[in-house]
Amino acid sequence: MALDRSNPVPNDLSAFWMPFTANRQFKKTPRMFVSADRMHYKTADGREVLDGTAGLWCCNAGHNRPKIVEAIQKQAAELDYAPAFQMGHPKAFELANRLRDMAPEPFEHVFFTNSGSEAVDTALKIAIAYQRAIGQGTRTRLIGRERGYHGVGFGGISVGGIVNNRKFFGTLLNGVDHLPHTHLPAKNAFTRGQPEHGAELADELERIVALHGPETIAAVIVEPIAGSTGVLMPPKGYLERLREITRKHGILLIFDEVITGFGRIGTPFAADFFDVMPDMITCAKGLTNGVIPMGAVLATKEIHDAFMQGPEHMIELFHGYTYSGNPIASAAGLATLETYKEEGLFERAAEISSYWEDAVHSLSDCPHVIDIRNMGLIAGIELEPIAGEPTKRAFSCFLDAYEHDVLIRTTGDIIALSPPLIIEKAHIDTLFGTLRDVLKRVN
Ligand SMILES: Cc1ncc(COP(=O)(O)O)c(C=O)c1O
């Protein structure tokens, strides 16, 4: 039936087609947040909900942080927008410098995007164009990993390895291959931190290289810690091995740090924590505390400089977004990085992570729990799926936790937790106390 636009219904939820959401279920029993402060959201019905997920892994400094709010307000009144192509404004340069200073040493240049998905597609394009720029134009293949999540652009879903994110969308990019995933529950279940088993899975890259020929491969992209697929930590030695093999064959290594960037595991980036340096890092989310959309690709001098040739009036990289380095996003990014620094939030995350680890592993005796994984302020709790109804048990946990004032996130039958880095021990107790009750209640 045609919509009667002359008679709008108050609070009509029908027009908004919600992303990655069970729309029909949601619209029958909506869950609405109307405000947020530090560790809590407030719901439309006036409840305070503890944020166990930093929004979507993005509000690392917690909510409603004064410096960030003020920076956005001020910037909106001062310079709302400046063209991103052939023009600049100071804050984008300042933010790029701050990011460079915060990033591990090899990363000297920053390309701004508006999301993690765009950062990924940008990094993949830079990888292929870089190979061409250095006379390796046959290197066009991209290698991802099963269960990988790299956002939702065609590049990202092509190198990604989450079946439902791929199978509805046609043939995707060609020339893509995948490493095996590293989830080995039979050997690694209930590991604290990095699992012992699985480094040898990186050697599969040698097989893929032999199959296609190294001269056809531009880059390998992995999440150092896979989040959206259900929180998978890299086995000890795995990332080191990937680095060794990629270097040996002239293949670029990209770390997708959209969730691991900005203190999530107690260091600025996971590359710092694992002491493995890729050639590019993608980031987003915590870059602006999730407040204004922004992403970035960090690239080494070597990659950047390969493009800086030819006549100086010519554009060197035919890529960019209307909102790359947007003034308000840049202001939010600057204030966010300042907040992290002033409050020592990365160090704080490192300090509290052992309390977090003990708390999450205390759930190992709860019903349905078949694995628990953790690192920094990240935890994954894997549940036995209900036979024939995958994802249902974890989704019931999500709904039950929300009813009991705790926000968790689930993916498949895995509960994924990633709180703001300002979390206190009392919040951790509440979070896992509530989860214990949730797990007892759900079927
Ligand atoms: C590792 C990784 N890459 C990329 C993305 C996509 O980011 P966005 O949703 O900002 O496009 C995500 C989002 O969760 C992510 O976890």
Side-chain angles (χ1 to χ4, degrees), residues 31-350:
R31 301 173 290 279
M32 298 280 202
F33 289 138
V34 292
S35 66
D37 192 57
R38 296 188 66 88
M39 281 300 299
H40 291 89
Y41 281 106
K42 191 166 253 176
T43 61
D45 55 358
R47 291 184 298 121
E48 295 229 320
V49 173
L50 178 64
D51 183 0
T53 60
L56 271 179
W57 305 73
C58 42
C59 310
N60 290 6
H63 302 274
N64 191 24
R65 302 314 314 273
K67 194 161 229 153
I68 306 170
V69 174
E70 200 186 309
I72 293 167
Q73 287 170 335
K74 222 170 128 220
Q75 187 60 43
E78 190 178 295
L79 174 67
D80 49 2
Y81 179 79
F85 307 161
Q86 304 285 17
M87 290 302 297
H89 68 90
K91 290 214 170 63
F93 292 91
E94 208 179 319
L95 180 59
N97 292 342
R98 296 277 180 89
L99 263 177
R100 177 196 56 200
D101 297 347
M102 196 184 115
E105 205 181 314
F107 299 99
E108 295 194 16
H109 299 278
V110 180
F111 196 101
F112 286 118
T113 68
N114 308 294
S115 66
S117 300
E118 288 180 359
V120 165
D121 280 15
T122 298
L124 298 175
K125 286 175 74 178
I126 290 177
I128 293 170
Y130 164 78
Q131 298 287 12
R132 182 185 156 116
I134 62 164
Q136 298 279 318
T138 57
R139 289 184 181 267
T140 56
R141 286 184 191 280
L142 301 167
I143 312 295
R145 189 169 57 189
E146 294 164 355
R147 296 189 67 144
Y149 183 65
H150 301 291
V152 293
F154 269 104
I157 62 173
S158 300
V159 293
I162 296 183
V163 178
N164 280 337
N165 293 356
R166 294 164 50 88
K167 71 179 183 190
F168 303 103
F169 305 110
T171 53
L172 313 183
L173 287 188
N174 57 26
V176 172
D177 212 334
H178 290 79
L179 287 159
H181 67 72
T182 62
H183 190 29
L184 303 174
K187 290 181 175 167
N188 289 326
F190 297 100
T191 297
R192 291 169 176 244
Q194 282 190 272
E196 291 296 331
H197 305 283
E200 68 285 357
L201 291 166
D203 293 337
E204 281 294 301
L205 184 55
E206 287 284 18
R207 186 186 58 76
I208 294 172
V209 168
L211 177 67
H212 300 294
E215 72 285 358
T216 69
I217 303 175
V220 170
I221 181 166
V222 292
E223 303 153 89
I225 294 175
S228 296
T229 193
V231 182
L232 306 178
M233 308 306 167
K236 284 182 186 160
Y238 174 86
L239 295 172
E240 291 83 343
R241 191 85 190 100
L242 273 191
R243 177 68 283 189
E244 231 174 84
I245 300 169
T246 46
R247 188 168 283 136
K248 183 169 102 186
H249 293 294
I251 298 167
L252 296 179
L253 180 62
I254 303 166
F255 277 180
D256 184 350
E257 297 230 27
V258 167
I259 58 158
T260 48
F262 307 103
R264 179 56 51 203
I265 55 171
T267 48
F269 293 95
D272 299 293
F273 185 93
F274 296 116
D275 198 18
V276 175
M277 286 310 139
D279 300 290
M280 278 186 272
I281 288 177
T282 54
C283 61
K285 299 196 186 246
L287 170 55
T288 55
N289 205 36
V291 178
I292 303 275
M294 189 178 222
V297 177
L298 312 183
T300 58
K301 179 172 163 47
E302 193 181 339
I303 291 178
H304 169 267
D305 288 359
F307 289 88
M308 299 302 134
Q309 42 181 311
E312 284 199 5
H313 72 280
M314 282 293 293
I315 290 168
E316 296 102 354
L317 176 64
F318 286 87
H319 178 75
Y321 303 94
T322 298
Y323 307 110
S324 285
N326 169 280
I328 300 178
S330 298
L334 282 167
T336 297
L337 298 193
E338 260 165 55
T339 303
Y340 292 151
K341 196 169 170 193
E342 270 174 21
E343 300 185 7
L345 290 185
F346 301 172
E347 296 76 13
R348 199 173 180 289

Side-chain angles (χ1 to χ4, degrees), residues 427-439:
H427 299 126
I428 296 179
D429 296 345
T430 305
L431 174 59
F432 291 107
T434 304
L435 266 181
R436 173 170 284 278
D437 295 340
V438 168
L439 287 164

Side-chain angles (χ1 to χ4, degrees), residues 266 343-353 377 420-425:
E343 300 185 7
L345 290 185
F346 301 172
E347 296 76 13
R348 199 173 180 289
E351 268 161 40
I352 206 165
S353 63
L377 279 179
L421 312 182
I422 58 168
I423 194 167
E424 307 274 352
K425 287 182 180 172

